[in-house]
Amino acid sequence: IRGKSWRILFHFRSRSKPAMKSFNRLLLLPILLYVATSSLALAGQVEDIQAELNQSRQQTMAMLSEVEPGVLEMRYADALVSSKEVDASLQRALADPALQAQHGSLEAFKQIWDVFKTTRDQEIVPLLMAGKQDQARALAQKVQAGRLKQMNDLLDDARSN
């Protein structure tokens, strides 16, 4: 009985070409779904990094208009939380074997990101805390804006690969 049920289920009993084509299509469907969903998942990881990067940048830019030390410290704490989220997402992406093809773009992103954070933490924030908003703004809008563009371009490349 088992053998007959199996053959009936997959139309092997007739061994007709249309039945085999239907069976082959059934086998192909899960493979196509897997490829499509894994591509979306990979793009999702890179999009998460990009969203977190832009959130961190927005928090830093919001600091530029603040003069109150308490508000500056609060915004800086928020920027650090976002930075840690970028770091964690980036580490997951770099460790994901499915993102091997994007590894070069992600590594280049990481190098720029590390310099970006260092500039923010060691130059921009101390300038803001010292009340030198104009100098901090110039550094953020010139040097950091260029780095941000490079990082977004690298993430766009990683997403399109």
Side-chain angles (χ1 to χ4, degrees):
I1 293 176
R2 283 188 182 174
K4 289 182 182 181
S5 298
W6 182 258
R7 280 186 235 133
I8 291 169
L9 179 65
F10 291 108
H11 305 284
F12 284 115
R13 189 173 185 184
S14 66
R15 300 238 186 237
S16 67
K17 288 187 179 184
M20 288 304 290
K21 282 184 180 180
S22 295
F23 181 72
N24 288 340
R25 286 185 186 138
L26 284 174
L27 286 177
L28 188 58
L29 183 62
I31 294 169
L32 292 174
L33 286 173
Y34 172 77
V35 170
T37 56
S38 65
S39 295
L40 291 174
L42 298 179
Q45 286 186 42
V46 175
E47 286 174 354
D48 289 347
I49 295 169
Q50 199 160 31
E52 292 159 356
L53 169 68
N54 290 323
Q55 179 67 30
S56 180
R57 175 67 172 168
Q58 287 176 348
Q59 291 164 341
T60 302
M61 293 303 289
M63 291 175 65
L64 296 175
S65 61
E66 297 293 340
V67 291
E68 180 69 34
V71 176
L72 282 171
E73 290 172 8
M74 180 187 69
R75 293 212 186 269
Y76 182 51
D78 290 343
L80 290 176
V81 168
S82 291
S83 291
K84 288 178 183 175
E85 291 171 357
V86 172
D87 290 336
S89 294
L90 182 58
Q91 284 306 113
R92 281 192 302 274
L94 286 169
D96 189 341
L99 286 172
Q100 190 64 36
Q102 291 81 7
H103 201 266
S105 294
L106 293 173
E107 279 293 334
F109 170 88
K110 185 180 184 318
Q111 290 177 355
I112 299 168
W113 171 238
D114 289 341
V115 174
F116 186 89
K117 290 186 303 182
T118 300
T119 301
R120 179 197 62 204
D121 298 342
Q122 295 180 4
E123 296 180 48
I124 294 174
V125 172
L127 285 169
L128 290 170
M129 295 297 186
K132 300 177 182 179
Q133 274 75 16
D134 291 338
Q135 289 175 318
R137 188 174 292 111
L139 188 57
Q141 291 176 343
K142 292 178 184 173
V143 176
Q144 293 290 77
R147 290 179 183 145
L148 183 69
K149 182 179 177 349
Q150 286 178 310
M151 289 186 290
N152 276 313
D153 288 347
L154 286 165
L155 291 174
D156 288 342
D157 288 346
R159 193 174 44 237
S160 66
N161 285 339

